[in-house]
Amino acid sequence: MEIIMAEKMGFCFGVRRTVEIAMKIIENKEQNVITYGPIIHNEDLTNYLKQNGIGYVLNVDDVDERKAEKVIIRTHGAKREVIENLKEKGVKVIDGTCPYVMRVHRIVEKLSKDDYPILIVGNKDHPEIIGVTGYISNVPYFIVKDVEELEELRKQGKFDKIKKIGVVTQTTEKIEKVRKVVNYLMDFIPEVRYFKTICYATDENQNAIHKLAPSVDVVIVIGGKHSSNTIKLYEIAKSYCPRTYHIQNEKDLKIEWFNINDKVGITAGASTPDWIIQNVVNKIKEFERILERGEIYEKRS
Ligand code: SF4
């Protein structure tokens, strides 16, 4: 079996930065620190933080109950009003928002000031997008996940009076999908201002899996079940390689997925810690040894 790692994968700059803030707090044995929402979409990591005293809340109101003195804003960011409400409560806010997400906040703020309606391409329920909407004021905005949803809104007449529009995307969007949306908008809106807000880390991880997936027999995509950039990596890999599996950690691996002569490609979402990737590689090597010894021959036949 040959294990081939994607050229780029795993923790991105933004996640590494926020996780380092939390790790430093653990190292300094600081008490009464929580995060606003799970720090990143990775259960193993959020469990680790919880075991070391950094839990999370989903609502500002829950901060009092936890007697929190410091609140870390997660990588995905939060609405401006959330940050203001936290400050009003007297807690210290440590802003772990990824600078690439902050850039989207600044862009929609400016578009709002310049009176541009805004189209966001992304998942309306994702914390990053919820946060972004908190920086839009006094202009209509729309959130679509793809060109089909945009067509639907157009049929409903939502764009009838719109002559100009600003477009931003979730940082983890796929560029192919965004191109379709922008091209479609250009058909009927005279002025379309598109801002490329897909972050470089997402681009790099996606490009690497585009390159790797066609040349392997199996692809293992490691990352949280709710991590949108991991899901995108899975979709890309699956489009080339039918034997693509999305796992959260080594415990999800199944020996039945592998054959002794397989080339196994590995990639990981931007919120996957290095130690989980290493555990997965070790487990696949363990499977390889079992397959070599033919120990599961009976079970497989
Ligand atoms: S994927 Fe990009 S935008 Fe998201 S946290 Fe990482 S660097 Fe920031």
Side-chain angles (χ1 to χ4, degrees), residues 12-15 75-76 98-101 128 171-172 199-202 229 270:
C12 58
F13 148 80
V15 166
T75 322
H76 301 310
C98 173
Y100 291 100
V101 177
E128 180 188 315
T171 50
T172 47
C199 90
Y200 82 93
T202 308
N229 73 85

Side-chain angles (χ1 to χ4, degrees), residues 79-97:
K79 287 184 173 187
R80 192 202 330 250
E81 67 184 60
V82 166
I83 295 176
E84 282 166 2
N85 290 346
L86 287 170
K87 285 182 180 163
E88 273 166 24
K89 282 185 177 293
V91 294
K92 184 169 171 9
V93 175
I94 304 168
D95 198 348
T97 309

Side-chain angles (χ1 to χ4, degrees), residues 129-285:
I129 297 305
I130 294 170
V132 167
T133 61
Y135 292 83
I136 301 175
S137 48
N138 305 321
V139 290
Y141 70 86
F142 312 90
I143 304 169
V144 294
K145 74 172 183 342
D146 51 28
V147 74
E148 286 77 23
E149 277 196 5
L150 177 60
E151 280 170 357
E152 194 48 45
L153 290 181
R154 187 186 177 191
K155 273 187 213 147
Q156 292 167 16
K158 302 278 188 207
F159 296 98
D160 287 356
K161 293 188 182 138
I162 290 182
K163 300 281 175 252
K164 60 181 185 179
I165 197 158
V167 184
V168 294
T169 72
Q170 195 166 337
T171 50
T172 47
E173 266 311 334
K174 282 200 273 191
I175 188 71
E176 298 82 1
K177 198 205 276 184
V178 178
R179 268 199 202 107
K180 280 188 197 159
V181 168
V182 174
N183 284 343
Y184 182 76
L185 281 173
M186 289 195 303
D187 279 347
F188 65 97
I189 297 188
E191 185 185 347
V192 178
R193 295 191 67 194
Y194 164 61
F195 295 83
K196 188 177 182 217
T197 52
I198 297 176
C199 90
Y200 82 93
T202 308
D203 274 356
E204 284 181 349
N205 286 1
Q206 289 181 10
N207 289 342
I209 197 62
H210 271 297
K211 205 167 143 191
L212 176 64
S215 63
V216 293
D217 304 297
V218 185
V219 179
I220 302 298
V221 183
I222 316 162
K225 286 285 172 212
H226 303 291
S227 155
S228 72
N229 73 85
T230 308
I231 294 166
K232 300 246 158 58
L233 289 174
Y234 170 79
E235 287 168 359
I236 294 170
K238 186 90 180 166
S239 71
Y240 294 106
C241 176
R243 290 165 64 200
T244 294
Y245 303 97
H246 177 178
I247 61 167
Q248 302 209 85
N249 55 43
E250 75 282 2
K251 293 186 198 110
D252 296 337
L253 284 170
K254 292 194 170 55
I255 197 164
E256 289 79 9
W257 295 345
F258 305 94
N259 294 313
I260 190 68
N261 293 321
D262 278 344
K263 274 191 185 172
V264 181
I266 295 194
T267 184
S271 46
T272 309
D274 299 344
W275 49 272
I276 293 183
I277 299 172
Q278 194 50 53
N279 287 351
V280 168
V281 170
N282 293 345
K283 184 87 179 186
I284 294 172
K285 286 186 178 161

Side-chain angles (χ1 to χ4, degrees), residues 22 25 48 56 61 97 115 120 190 256:
I25 284 170
Y48 174 83
Y56 66 83
D61 292 340
T97 309
D115 210 21
I120 305 171
E256 289 79 9

